[in-house]
Amino acid sequence: MTALDVGVNNLVACTTETGQQFLYSGTDSYEQFRETTMRIAELQSKLPAGKYSSEQIRRLYRKRTRRRDHAMNALARDLFEWLAELGVSVVYVGDLTGVLETHWSVEANAKTHNFWAHRRFIDRLEDTAEEYGITVEECDESWTSQECPECGEREKTIRHGDSLWCPCGFEAHADLDASRLFLETETGTEVGPMARPVRFEWDDHEWSAISHAHDSPKESRTNLQVASVGGRTDRPQARGISSL
Ligand SMILES: [Zn+2]
C-alpha cells in the first residue's frame, strides 16, 4: 500500500509501505503557469476600452491549461508506472480540503484554484491508476501535514516551505513526512526503514529523477547517469531500490 500527499509546491509526495519515497516538484510547472498568467494580465491591460479579451489572450489561456495538464498527466503516468513495478495495489490519496481552509496561505490558495485544479488532478490520478490495476482510495488527511510525527503536536508546529518544524526538536520534509504519517494512519502499522527519497522535476517533456536532497555529490552524479539511460527515469531496480 502507498499514500500520496497532493500539494502545490510538491505536486505529489509519496510513501510506500516498503519505505520508498517519491517527490514530484511542482515548482517548474507552476512558474511556467505564473509567467503565462502575467503575460495574459499584461495583454488584458492593453486592450482597448470595452474589450475584455482577444484571440491572443484566448490562445494563451489554452496554452496555459494544456501545459499544466500535460505535466500532470505525465506525472500520473510516471508515478503509477513506478508503483505498478513495486507491486502496489492500493493507493490512499488525501483530501486536502480541510488544510486549504485552515492552514494554507492566501498565495497557496491562489495557486490551488488556478494552477493546481485539485479535483481534476485527483480524477486524473484515479483514471491512470485504473489502467495499471491500482485502486485509489480517497481519505481525509487534512491534519497530517501539520502533525509532528515524533510527539503528535498539531498546534505549535511550523511549516516553512518544504520543512516542518516542531518545538520538540523534530524537523523534516513536511510533505514526504505527511505522506508517511498518512500511510501509517491508514494501515495502522509503522513504515520503515525509509529509503532515501527520489525527487522528480518536470522539464516540459518528462519527469526526471534528480539527486536526493541529502546525497553526496558523487552519489547524485551516479543517479543522474542512470536516470539518463533509455531516455526515461531509471527504474527502482536500476537505482538499487528493492522491489516487493
Ligand atoms: Zn514534536
Side-chain angles (χ1 to χ4, degrees):
M1 277 172 274
T2 290
L4 305 184
D5 180 86
V6 178
V8 178
N9 294 328
N10 297 295
L11 291 171
V12 167
C14 168
T15 300
T16 73
E17 215 171 6
T18 48
Q20 271 103 39
Q21 291 193 307
F22 305 123
L23 188 70
Y24 288 83
S25 168
T27 314
D28 296 328
S29 187
Y30 173 68
E31 190 52 37
Q32 198 176 62
F33 188 89
R34 200 177 65 87
E35 275 168 23
T36 312
T37 304
M38 283 162 62
R39 177 81 183 121
I40 289 170
E42 189 191 323
L43 289 170
Q44 278 168 337
S45 72
K46 289 175 184 163
L47 285 169
K51 285 212 84 180
Y52 298 100
S53 193
S54 68
E55 188 46 49
Q56 195 182 4
I57 289 170
R58 282 189 288 272
R59 211 163 42 232
L60 282 173
Y61 271 120
R62 284 196 297 274
K63 182 178 167 186
R64 191 180 73 166
T65 302
R66 208 167 50 231
R67 286 172 121 179
R68 177 201 61 197
D69 290 351
H70 181 41
M72 290 185 175
N73 294 348
L75 189 163
R77 194 152 296 282
D78 196 74
L79 174 67
F80 285 108
E81 263 182 44
W82 279 97
L83 296 181
E85 277 192 31
L86 291 169
V88 171
S89 57
V90 178
V91 173
Y92 299 111
V93 178
D95 176 2
L96 291 180
T97 313
V99 177
L100 298 181
E101 281 163 3
T102 54
H103 298 301
W104 284 28
S105 68
V106 172
E107 196 205 352
N109 269 308
K111 280 186 184 182
T112 304
H113 293 303
N114 296 321
F115 165 65
W116 190 26
H118 178 241
R119 187 65 251 169
R120 179 198 282 234
F121 185 43
I122 301 281
D123 289 345
R124 168 54 58 184
L125 289 175
E126 287 178 352
D127 287 349
T128 311
E130 195 178 289
E131 288 178 39
Y132 289 89
I134 294 172
T135 307
V136 171
E137 291 190 19
E138 287 185 54
C139 317
D140 177 18
E141 57 127 5
S142 53
W143 48 270
T144 47
S145 2
Q146 285 290 130
E147 178 172 308
C148 172
E150 288 297 318
C151 71
E153 175 64 50
R154 293 185 191 182
E155 302 297 322
K156 296 184 186 129
T157 54
I158 296 170
R159 276 204 65 158
H160 182 72
D162 279 348
S163 300
L164 178 71
W165 178 89
C166 179
C168 78
F170 176 84
E171 191 170 3
H173 191 290
D175 293 337
L176 281 175
D177 220 69
S179 69
R180 180 179 67 81
L181 199 61
F182 179 32
L183 182 64
E184 289 180 348
T185 306
E186 290 303 323
T187 59
T189 51
E190 259 187 45
V191 182
M194 307 299 292
R196 262 179 307 203
V198 182
R199 187 182 159 88
F200 296 90
E201 283 188 353
W202 175 246
D203 68 356
D204 215 21
H205 299 288
E206 63 176 1
W207 290 93
S208 310
I210 60 159
S211 59
H212 305 287
H214 304 291
D215 262 355
S216 73
K218 185 166 172 257
E219 283 171 320
S220 303
R221 270 199 307 278
T222 308
N223 280 323
L224 286 171
Q225 279 161 8
V226 174
S228 67
V229 173
R232 206 202 152 263
T233 51
D234 49 325
R235 296 300 176 177
Q237 288 84 350
R239 222 176 346 217
I241 300 171
S242 60
S243 59
L244 286 175

